[in-house]
Amino acid sequence: QSALTQPASVSGSPGQSITISCTGTSRDIGTYNYVSWHQHHPGKAPKLILYKVNNRPSGVPSRFSGSKSGNTASLTISRLLPEDEADFYCSSFTTTTGTWVFGGGTKLTVL
Amino acid sequence: QVKLVQSGAEVKKPGASVILSCKASGFTFTTYYMHWVRQAPGQGLEWMGSISPKGDVRNYQQTLQDRFSMTKDSSTRTLYMELRGLRSEDTAVYYCVKDGNDFNFDYWGQGTLVAVSS
């Protein structure tokens, strides 16, 4: 199962919005709405910020939102804050029974 | 609160095996799937495998099938993984992850560094 495709990096200024794409195939994102996004500050454990495309766990700000179209999912972060700077990973359930795949990760820089 | 406390860093030689543990607390261990995910230096996250709440169903990353196994001890609330025939490319931080029972990974352990070097 190949990794999902994410841009290596994105950047934005405080207060702006950014979108990170995550492209898979009909064997994962195209079949299931089981796409999650994780925020990872280096040296810490990754944190779940969205699941089932656009559901936020308790405590995650509404500035984080998700969408999906065909084989591509997207994470949008509105009103960027300096502390949003981190690596972001998408993941999806796949049609290979009971397995998952992650994206390669996107480094967000808040300028 | 949910806690996943992993065993300490390991240094291994190529060809050796490594067993990592993950002690869970703060939730009903026999109700949730558990996963292992790793991150090699400078690389992204890689899902390795999962084990069912009762421990009777395991699913593994196809590329690791022959070298990787997961077990769990419900009496001690501990998750284990074993990786055999270690290679330099297995050098990574390994994370124990709790499934949220809603197709997500909702809690992560602190990570364990495994370094493979001759």
Side-chain angles (χ1 to χ4, degrees):
Chain A
Q1 182 73 36
S2 299
L4 306 174
T5 301
Q6 299 180 230
S9 63
V10 298
S11 62
S13 300
Q16 289 186 331
S17 296
I18 62 95
T19 296
I20 299 172
S21 62
C22 170
T23 301
T25 69
S26 59
R27 297 185 298 276
D28 37 68
I29 293 177
T31 294
Y32 297 110
N33 287 328
Y34 301 139
V35 178
S36 295
W37 289 89
H38 291 84
Q39 180 184 42
H40 189 199
H41 289 102
K44 294 191 170 184
K47 175 188 174 185
L48 176 69
I49 56 171
L50 290 174
Y51 65 98
K52 283 186 176 177
V53 178
N54 194 25
N55 289 269
R56 282 176 286 107
S58 173
V60 175
S62 58
R63 301 186 299 106
F64 294 86
S65 62
S67 63
K68 192 192 95 165
S69 177
N71 295 338
T72 299
S74 298
L75 164 69
T76 297
I77 308 175
S78 305
R79 303 184 298 280
L80 277 174
L81 298 173
E83 54 262 40
D84 294 335
E85 188 164 291
D87 298 321
F88 289 85
Y89 293 90
C90 59
S91 65
S92 175
F93 196 60
T94 85
T95 57
T96 304
T97 305
T99 64
W100 292 82
V101 63
F102 279 92
T106 299
K107 181 176 180 58
L108 167 63
T109 301
V110 181
L111 304 168
Chain B
Q1 73 278 29
V2 172
K3 281 189 178 180
L4 300 169
V5 180
Q6 299 183 221
S7 48
E10 302 266 7
V11 179
K12 295 290 184 180
K13 293 196 181 303
S17 297
V18 68
I19 295 175
L20 304 183
S21 66
C22 170
K23 176 98 172 141
S25 61
F27 64 99
T28 305
F29 190 57
T30 52
T31 302
Y32 295 89
Y33 269 80
M34 297 293 294
H35 305 262
W36 287 98
V37 174
R38 69 179 178 179
Q39 183 176 35
Q43 303 297 311
L45 299 173
E46 179 187 22
W47 179 83
M48 300 179 71
S50 66
I51 188 167
S52 62
K54 293 183 179 179
D56 54 342
V57 177
R58 299 168 180 83
N59 291 294
Y60 300 148
Q61 170 68 255
Q62 197 168 12
T63 57
L64 297 171
Q65 287 274 7
D66 297 335
R67 303 192 296 127
F68 176 70
S69 57
M70 295 176 65
T71 57
K72 63 188 302 188
D73 183 338
S74 296
S75 67
T76 61
R77 305 168 59 87
T78 304
L79 176 72
Y80 298 95
M81 61 151 275
E82 180 181 21
L83 190 58
R84 300 172 291 277
L86 288 168
R87 309 161 181 168
S88 58
E89 52 265 39
D90 293 318
T91 293
V93 175
Y94 290 74
Y95 292 99
C96 158
V97 188
K98 173 185 169 292
D99 194 294
N101 274 4
D102 207 359
F103 292 91
N104 61 48
F105 309 115
D106 63 351
Y107 288 95
W108 297 61
Q110 84 275 20
T112 296
L113 175 63
V114 175
V116 183
S117 174
S118 54

